[in-house]
Amino acid sequence: MDVATTLPKLLMIAWLLPLASFAITSLGYSVPQFLGIRVRYSTQVYAAYIAIGAIVLGFVLSCIALFGCWLPAHPLTAASHEGGEHAAAQEHATTSPSLFRYVAQHEAQEAASHAEEHNNEAPPYITGDWYALGIFGKLRLTIGYYIDTLTVTMFAMVTLIASCVHIYAFGYMHDELHDYTDHEVHLADGEHLHRRGRFHRFFQYLSLFSFSMLGICISGNFAMTFVFWELVGICSYFLIGFYIERQSASTAANKAFIVNRIGDFGMLIGLMTIWSTLGTFNFGDMKAADGTVVPGVFSQLHRPENHYRIAPTDSMIAFEGRNQIAEAIRKAGSTEPVAMEATVKAEVARLRAEDGTKWGHLLLFVAGVGIFCGCVGKSAQFPLHVWLPDAMEGPTPVSALVHSATMVAAGVFLVGRSYPLFSAEALLVIAVVGCITLFIAATIAVTQYDIKRVLAYSTVSQLGFMMLALGLGGWVAGLFHLITHAFFKSLLFLCSGSVIHAVHSNDMRHMGGLRKKMPITAYTMLVGCLAIAGVGVPFLAGFSGFHSKDAIVEQALSHWHHNWADGFSWLLFVVPVFSAALTAFYMFRLWYLTFAGEPQDHHRFDHAHESPRSMTGPLVLLAVFAVIAGWGLPSFAPGPFANFSIPNLLEQARPIGTLASKPGVYLSDLFIPSEHIAHAPEMFRPIKLPAGLAAITAAIVGIFLATVIYLWKSVSAAKLAAAMQPLYQLSWHKWWFDELYDFIFVRPVHAISAFIAQVMDRGLIDGIIHTLAWIARGCAMVVSTGGDRWVIDNVVDTFAEKTWNLGLSLRSLQTGRLRQYVMFIVVCTIVLFIVASVWRIAVAGP
Amino acid sequence: MEDPIYWPSFFFLLFSAIACAFAVAVVVTPNVVRMAFYLVLSLAATAGLFFLAGADFVGAMQIMIYVGGTLVLLIFGVMLTSQDRFISMKTSNFELGMATGVGVCLFILLAVAARSIPEWHGLTAQQVAEIPLEPTAAPLGMGLLGARVDSPDRSGYLLIFEIISVHLLVVLVGAAYLARARRSRSGFSLTSDG
Amino acid sequence: MTQLTLASILTQPVGVSHYLIVGAVLFVCGALCMATKRNALGVLMGIELVLNGANLNFIAFGSPYLRKASETMGLDGQLMSLFVIVLAAAEAAVALAIALNFYNSFNTIDVDRADQLQG
């Protein structure tokens, strides 16, 4: 079987299964409900079975795709530090079935050997179109696929976590299987809201959500990504607003949706830049119908003649240097098309060579930052991070899915996917935004008491870590953290859901001592906390978070090492390490407050119980993954499992031209170091050792402080808070971001709207309309009283009255007697004759 | 000079006397059975008048359809409804008197009108003798089929014939429907009304 | 103008006017019958008489023997009277059906009792 044909089909089925589930449940449940038929609860259960079946089957297919198709065709190599990547690329090239490579392999080798530092060419991938939505001139909007190692890995991860969440939700959402009383909704009459359960609808949305996320993963071009991007947005809107009757839920859903739109606006700008300068949306090189290869976005920017380094295309340079080109054409004086084209080419070449390579870089920067804007919204980065904590209003399984595998992962995934697009400056923007985000979120999480809110801020913070890693050149590190984080964060959320299910409260001050009541939840959550804190033995093994966080810190240190001279790059190392300590601190604070110590609320404690098996099962499974996700298999493991580890997988997926370091263009000091520099043996002492020690020290310090304060209670938390009152207030009020946005954006908008409503609408437009209406009414009144009532009504009334009277008078003639009628006829005939005769005699003469 | 009796006129007088006499008898008699009998005689005499006027086919039809068909129908009706109280129903004298007055007026009117045109008073015997005797059945049949043999410039009666045949069908179906036996009398709500 | 005496009638052919007078007698008798009979069947018979009177007129106007050949209606009169006979038969059938229905419904045949339509 050919991998190039099998794999897209496999993944397409895995992708479309949740859609089928959504369609079936829509037709089977929502349509009847819309028509007013009540779906029985015993029937609603089947919606869950359908959705779970679809996603589990999708997971099985993804595993087959990964281990059965992809890895046998593209075996992994052990991560070697020098030249390993090059060898791997070479090996992939010989085994790859990809037809779309546009450079012969030996040429690439030659080009690379001339470079001062080797760079990688495109990883093995399979791309193509399934269906063209529309073709507008050059623009092709298609549903296509771009399958590389990253796609396959994401598929396996997303379907695995979605399966766990689906199964977990089957237990968690059981309340919806009977008529539901929402205690958080107070109706006008003081009663709580009673409504029908909507079990099926939840699973319907979950299916659509999974489908959308898988669509982003498999998407073959930016346009399709954007479509599914928005689909993910609308699904999150539905799910966050699942308890739509609650004011807070509907507000949170709106907030998530609106904040995301802001980011998507930037993304649209990025997409426009890409299309107008590169003329395509495809990621990979696509073979056209006539056999010619149409280069995709990535290979246009990373051309072999530049040693796969990022370089603006001719069209970008031509756009930015249009004045120079016009000048050159004027000088050449020829208006022949061929000559003009030659002039343009020569001028572009001159501009490219001139003054470094600054021409065209601005567009590149705009495209990169534009795409990143979308990711800022979706992944809740610094200016737009405010929606994610509010998204806790949705049911907990949704939070788990949103926070790990789908919504927020989509942003990081897209940065990873479009990584070849980012110039050094754009990467710096990403890193700085990530750094700010991770610090702010970590500080806020320290003081919150809502268990889901703490987790939400920790998600924001961890997403900041990913963005920081990606921005500092650590492509593998960032996506590695994305995957490990997906495991332990979904685990943490599902555990918190289990706790909330048991005590019916989100507030940690109502919990405490719960580990005796619900041991499975407590210890799986402990595993999650250890994983997110990044506990492990340096250079040996640890929880999954340890490996990925270690890689990030290493990359940060590497960056500092290479940008020693500038004044601020140390911040990009120190702040993450400090935040890592904060992470460990607040996670263990959460665990101690919830599970350790004495019960705070005995009533709730007495009612607490371990969750059903459908909920604890996924917990245990995810806990296992949270431990081992960072580990790797040795090279002698059988078949496709040889060298299997997530970093190795990602190393194989490394996008074109991202291996080499990227020097800045505008910021000449800037140097985004290659990820492999830190792994070099000679760098062990300056980078790897301090980074590893810093990471583990931060984790241990954080855990130790939390233990001191919340387990041993040697230091009173309240006193500590009082001592650092300003800082505590800053954290407690979430840096006043909501208030700030309210003041800067919401209030002015309200004020302007109110002004426009009052002056423009009510005053001007309403005034005109009212005047017109008044005039029309006056005319109508004149016509009504003068014409209608008087003339027409009088005529009609008189006529009716006369008819009525005539009828009354003629009534007496109608005796109902047949014989009299005959007599009438005869008499009338006689009378007629007589009249006629008299007439004849009188008028015409005898 | 004493003219010899012109026999057609004699028969005319005879038949018209019978027809008129029995017509008056129909009006005068109160008994419905006798009315039917007198009507038969009156109509039969009318058929004789038709023959005298040269309309042999129509006269035959008069006897077959009227005397043979319609009156049988009427007599059936009389028999079906012949309870004693309905056999002879008296009309008030005032009504009778008024009807008679009106009838006489009408008759005078019609008679004066009939006599007022000289051309209608008749031909001479010689003129009548010159007219050839022709059977009318065949021309009537042709006329009903659309071809006029007596006066080719006039149009036939095919369409009217068709309309009348359809009309007859409808009427007979309607009559059968109306007269069908009703088992329950309570179906009609007007019965209680006096 | 010829004298309308018994003798002159017996010695001369009759004309249209004689037929018309006989028709008028039948017509008036029929009308009186309709006007005076309380029995519905009597009314029906009156109608038959009226139709007969009319028929007689048609025949008279169509006959070649009663007035000048140039003025007669020819076969048209006879055809008309044929149609009248047929229609009279149809009318008799329907009227009889109505009468029977009336009798079934009201258990009487007196037309004076059928005055539900009075104003």
Side-chain angles (χ1 to χ4, degrees):
Chain A
M1 273 201 298
D2 191 2
V3 180
T5 55
T6 321
L7 203 59
K9 278 180 194 155
L10 265 180
L11 291 186
M12 179 175 75
I13 296 169
W15 171 47
L16 292 181
L17 272 172
L19 179 66
S21 152
F22 171 73
I24 291 170
T25 43
S26 295
L27 287 178
Y29 298 94
S30 296
V31 172
Q33 208 177 40
F34 185 72
L35 297 176
I37 302 165
R38 286 194 157 193
V39 182
R40 274 183 294 142
Y41 291 119
S42 55
T43 324
Q44 287 195 8
V45 178
Y46 292 103
Y49 291 144
I50 293 169
I52 292 172
I55 195 73
V56 169
L57 198 56
F59 172 60
V60 171
L61 289 174
S62 307
C63 283
I64 293 173
L66 177 59
F67 295 109
C69 287
W70 184 263
L71 287 180
H74 308 285
L76 294 171
T77 48
S80 60
H81 299 141
E82 194 55 50
E85 179 58 30
H86 196 81
Q90 212 173 335
E91 195 180 345
H92 298 158
T94 48
T95 54
S96 166
S98 171
L99 299 167
F100 309 123
R101 206 172 291 279
Y102 70 96
V103 183
Q105 185 58 36
H106 62 273
E107 281 178 16
Q109 261 175 294
E110 208 173 358
S113 64
H114 286 294
E116 67 274 25
E117 184 187 4
H118 75 260
N119 204 343
N120 65 325
E121 63 163 32
Y125 65 85
I126 304 165
T127 186
D129 281 344
W130 276 312
Y131 179 70
L133 293 172
I135 299 168
F136 310 98
K138 233 173 98 184
L139 176 64
R140 281 170 57 87
L141 295 180
T142 59
I143 296 293
Y145 53 92
Y146 177 88
I147 298 171
D148 61 356
T149 322
L150 182 62
T151 308
V152 185
T153 313
M154 285 297 286
F155 253 73
M157 187 272 278
V158 170
T159 50
L160 172 61
I161 287 174
S163 300
C164 289
V165 169
H166 274 70
I167 294 167
Y168 178 90
F170 184 73
Y172 188 87
M173 298 306 287
H174 238 266
D175 283 350
E176 292 287 340
L177 269 179
H178 41 78
D179 287 343
Y180 188 81
T181 306
D182 201 328
H183 292 286
E184 299 191 25
V185 180
H186 303 279
L187 298 178
D189 53 4
E191 289 288 304
H192 293 301
L193 177 82
H194 296 276
R195 62 169 170 81
R196 293 271 295 171
R198 342 180 236 238
F199 191 73
H200 65 280
R201 200 192 290 178
F202 184 77
F203 280 93
Q204 202 176 321
Y205 290 155
L206 273 192
S207 287
L208 188 61
F209 207 179
S210 312
F211 162 72
S212 318
M213 182 61 199
L214 293 177
I216 292 182
C217 292
I218 203 169
S219 156
N221 53 61
F222 278 108
M224 178 179 166
T225 303
F226 190 69
V227 170
F228 283 92
W229 189 260
E230 297 302 330
L231 214 50
V232 166
I234 193 72
C235 287
S236 73
Y237 174 79
F238 287 147
L239 282 166
I240 293 168
F242 184 73
Y243 299 116
I244 189 72
E245 295 89 357
R246 297 182 189 167
Q247 177 69 32
S248 55
S250 63
T251 314
N254 279 334
K255 191 172 180 182
F257 199 71
I258 293 167
V259 169
N260 266 298
R261 292 292 76 67
I262 299 169
D264 291 342
F265 180 69
M267 185 162 172
L268 270 179
I269 294 176
L271 291 185
M272 284 187 263
T273 314
I274 288 172
W275 187 71
S276 58
T277 54
L278 302 183
T280 180
F281 276 140
N282 288 332
F283 295 135
D285 304 334
M286 197 76 79
K287 203 170 196 174
D290 56 355
T292 55
V293 172
V294 182
V297 169
F298 298 160
S299 47
Q300 283 193 37
L301 291 172
H302 296 261
R303 303 194 65 81
E305 56 263 34
N306 297 324
H307 314 304
Y308 300 112
R309 268 163 211 293
I310 187 163
T313 57
D314 286 354
S315 52
M316 285 179 171
I317 295 173
F319 180 79
E320 277 188 29
R322 55 193 178 280
N323 294 338
Q324 280 75 6
I325 289 172
E327 178 74 10
I329 289 172
R330 200 179 53 76
K331 264 185 198 160
S334 169
T335 50
E336 270 182 57
V338 180
M340 265 170 68
E341 203 173 316
T343 318
V344 171
K345 252 187 191 160
E347 184 64 16
V348 166
R350 191 185 68 75
L351 288 174
R352 192 188 280 283
E354 172 201 282
D355 191 24
T357 46
K358 263 185 198 168
W359 290 103
H361 274 86
L362 186 62
L363 278 177
L364 209 53
F365 180 73
V366 167
V369 172
I371 294 289
F372 177 63
C373 275
C375 304
V376 165
K378 202 66 63 189
S379 286
Q381 294 301 297
F382 154 56
L384 303 179
H385 66 275
V386 288
W387 67 268
L388 191 59
D390 286 10
M392 294 300 100
E393 290 297 335
T396 307
V398 175
S399 310
L401 203 56
V402 164
H403 283 255
S404 55
T406 51
M407 179 100 173
V408 298
V412 180
F413 173 79
L414 185 62
V415 173
R417 169 62 84 209
S418 44
Y419 205 66
L421 203 64
F422 297 117
S423 61
E425 283 80 9
L427 287 177
L428 186 67
V429 169
I430 295 174
V432 170
V433 167
C435 188
I436 296 171
T437 309
L438 71 90
F439 180 67
I440 291 176
T443 54
I444 296 174
V446 168
T447 57
Q448 302 301 312
Y449 278 109
D450 184 328
I451 184 166
K452 283 174 81 179
R453 213 164 261 276
V454 174
L455 289 177
Y457 279 109
S458 92
T459 303
V460 178
S461 173
Q462 298 304 310
L463 289 168
F465 271 102
M466 296 169 208
M467 289 297 184
L468 174 80
L470 289 167
L472 295 180
W475 189 83
V476 170
L479 290 174
F480 185 25
H481 197 55
L482 173 70
I483 290 169
T484 57
H485 173 259
F487 285 121
F488 58 67
K489 187 48 63 70
S490 56
L491 168 65
L492 287 168
F493 261 110
L494 296 187
C495 285
S496 77
S498 177
V499 171
I500 294 166
H501 193 66
V503 299
H504 298 290
S505 169
N506 284 7
D507 197 326
M508 289 194 287
R509 284 169 294 194
H510 296 154
M511 301 172 187
L514 284 173
R515 77 174 184 281
K516 291 165 204 139
K517 284 277 192 176
M518 31 200 328
I520 300 178
T521 308
Y523 291 110
T524 47
M525 188 144 191
L526 182 61
V527 169
C529 289
L530 288 167
I532 195 173
V535 173
V537 182
F539 318 116
L540 199 61
F543 290 89
S544 58
F546 163 75
H547 294 277
S548 52
K549 204 170 273 188
D550 192 41
I552 294 172
V553 173
E554 241 171 52
Q555 187 63 25
L557 188 58
S558 170
H559 177 261
W560 183 21
H561 188 79
H562 286 93
N563 296 279
W564 202 262
D566 67 26
F568 78 99
S569 60
W570 60 274
L571 275 172
L572 295 181
F573 170 72
V574 173
V575 171
V577 170
F578 177 67
S579 302
L582 281 181
T583 306
F585 175 77
Y586 65 69
M587 286 317 295
F588 274 84
R589 168 179 175 269
L590 182 151
W591 198 83
Y592 291 141
L593 281 176
T594 310
F595 294 107
E598 290 304 310
Q600 304 292 313
D601 186 331
H602 284 281
H603 177 70
R604 289 180 192 275
F605 181 77
D606 293 340
H607 281 83
H609 55 85
E610 185 58 278
S611 299
R613 203 165 291 175
S614 66
M615 288 166 71
T616 52
L619 294 185
V620 174
L621 182 66
L622 285 173
V624 171
F625 276 102
V627 176
I628 65 167
W631 301 354
L633 292 174
S635 58
F636 51 81
F641 299 103
N643 293 320
F644 182 80
S645 75
I646 291 169
N648 281 356
L649 268 178
L650 292 172
E651 196 61 60
Q652 191 190 51
R654 180 180 286 284
I656 183 168
T658 53
L659 186 60
S661 309
K662 284 185 185 171
V665 176
Y666 291 103
L667 306 170
S668 50
D669 295 343
L670 183 63
F671 184 79
I672 304 290
S674 158
E675 201 166 8
H676 282 213
I677 290 175
H679 300 312
E682 67 271 18
M683 285 300 175
F684 180 78
R685 193 171 278 276
I687 297 175
K688 209 169 169 62
L689 183 64
L693 288 178
I696 191 67
T697 312
I700 287 168
V701 166
I703 294 172
F704 177 73
L705 281 176
T707 312
V708 167
I709 297 173
Y710 292 100
L711 187 63
W712 300 336
K713 296 200 170 36
S714 316
V715 183
S716 161
K719 274 184 191 164
L720 211 58
M724 297 190 287
Q725 193 60 27
L727 289 178
Y728 180 79
Q729 288 298 333
L730 182 70
S731 167
W732 177 246
H733 289 107
K734 306 155 200 165
W735 290 47
W736 288 285
F737 267 110
D738 283 336
E739 288 79 0
L740 184 71
Y741 288 169
D742 188 53
F743 185 73
I744 298 179
F745 300 114
V746 181
R747 294 263 179 88
V749 168
H750 277 190
I752 293 168
S753 317
F755 172 76
I756 290 176
Q758 194 63 45
V759 175
M760 294 298 288
D761 282 13
R762 300 228 177 105
L764 197 64
I765 298 178
D766 281 12
I768 293 171
I769 291 171
H770 282 163
T771 314
L772 286 176
W774 187 81
I775 292 169
R777 213 171 133 227
C779 295
M781 266 171 81
V782 169
V783 172
S784 149
T785 46
D788 281 14
R789 296 225 181 121
W790 208 82
V791 179
I792 297 179
D793 279 14
N794 262 355
V795 169
V796 172
D797 284 354
T798 315
F799 191 70
E801 203 178 329
K802 295 291 174 212
T803 313
W804 177 258
N805 291 341
L806 187 68
L808 277 183
S809 54
L810 283 177
R811 194 181 151 190
S812 54
L813 279 179
Q814 299 286 333
T815 57
R817 290 172 185 264
L818 189 63
R819 296 184 299 116
Q820 282 184 7
Y821 293 162
V822 176
M823 284 302 290
F824 285 147
I825 295 171
V826 173
V827 171
C828 286
T829 316
I830 294 166
V831 170
L832 266 179
F833 264 99
I834 292 167
V835 167
S837 309
V838 168
W839 175 266
R840 222 182 106 189
I841 292 162
V843 176
Chain B
M1 123 185 192
E2 192 72 8
D3 284 338
I5 290 177
Y6 187 71
W7 286 104
S9 293
F10 170 75
F11 282 108
F12 169 79
L13 278 179
L14 180 63
F15 284 135
S16 57
I18 294 172
C20 294
F22 283 114
V24 172
V26 167
V27 179
V28 171
T29 179
N31 187 315
V32 73
V33 184
R34 287 191 189 150
M35 270 166 60
F37 177 66
Y38 296 152
L39 186 65
V40 171
L41 294 180
S42 173
L43 295 182
T46 316
L49 290 178
F50 289 176
F51 288 127
L52 281 178
D56 53 344
F57 183 75
V58 180
M61 286 300 111
Q62 171 86 358
I63 290 175
M64 283 168 70
I65 295 178
Y66 254 120
V67 183
T70 309
L71 276 168
V72 168
L73 212 60
L74 273 175
I75 289 166
F76 264 112
V78 171
M79 280 153 64
L80 281 172
T81 61
S82 63
Q83 296 178 24
D84 282 345
R85 59 197 170 103
F86 303 134
I87 293 296
S88 57
M89 285 191 293
K90 293 278 190 298
T91 315
S92 67
N93 287 331
F94 167 74
E95 274 184 323
L96 273 176
M98 197 179 125
T100 313
V102 171
V104 169
C105 284
L106 185 60
F107 176 72
I108 291 167
L109 205 70
L110 292 173
V112 167
R115 291 301 299 175
S116 62
I117 296 174
E119 288 79 21
W120 289 0
H121 287 188
L123 307 171
T124 61
Q126 196 182 356
Q127 284 172 317
V128 173
E130 287 169 2
I131 299 167
L133 190 68
E134 282 176 353
T136 56
L140 278 178
M142 295 301 287
L144 286 178
L145 290 179
R148 294 290 294 266
V149 288
D150 57 326
S151 48
D153 54 326
R154 294 195 194 167
S155 59
Y157 288 88
L158 183 60
L159 182 62
I160 298 170
F161 183 59
E162 291 296 331
I163 291 172
I164 287 194
S165 53
V166 173
H167 175 82
L168 261 182
L169 177 68
V170 172
V171 158
L172 290 177
V173 171
Y177 172 77
L178 280 173
R180 78 191 192 281
R182 266 227 189 97
R183 288 281 172 265
S184 70
R185 292 187 177 180
S186 59
F188 229 82
S189 60
L190 299 171
T191 48
S192 61
D193 192 296
Chain C
M1 187 168 176
T2 319
Q3 287 294 309
L4 187 68
T5 59
L6 195 61
S8 69
I9 289 176
L10 273 173
T11 53
Q12 287 182 359
V14 292
V16 172
S17 61
H18 300 89
Y19 271 81
L20 290 188
I21 288 168
V22 177
V25 171
L26 291 180
F27 185 90
V28 170
C29 285
L32 287 183
C33 207
M34 285 158 72
T36 55
K37 298 293 177 196
R38 282 170 61 195
N39 192 319
L41 292 164
V43 175
L44 261 186
M45 292 178 201
I47 294 171
E48 299 297 340
L49 272 180
V50 166
L51 287 172
N52 240 298
N55 245 352
L56 199 57
N57 287 6
F58 275 122
I59 294 292
F61 283 121
S63 171
Y65 305 111
L66 303 181
R67 54 175 172 162
K68 283 187 204 116
S70 60
E71 291 171 354
T72 63
M73 290 169 71
L75 280 182
D76 284 349
Q78 295 192 24
L79 282 163
M80 281 299 159
S81 60
L82 265 183
F83 293 144
V84 170
I85 289 172
V86 170
L87 287 180
E91 167 264 320
V94 174
L96 205 64
I98 292 172
L100 283 177
N101 228 328
F102 175 66
Y103 176 69
N104 282 336
S105 306
F106 289 78
N107 212 12
T108 181
I109 202 76
D110 187 353
V111 288
D112 285 0
R113 304 284 295 279
D115 57 355
Q116 266 77 22
L117 282 175
Q118 76 180 52

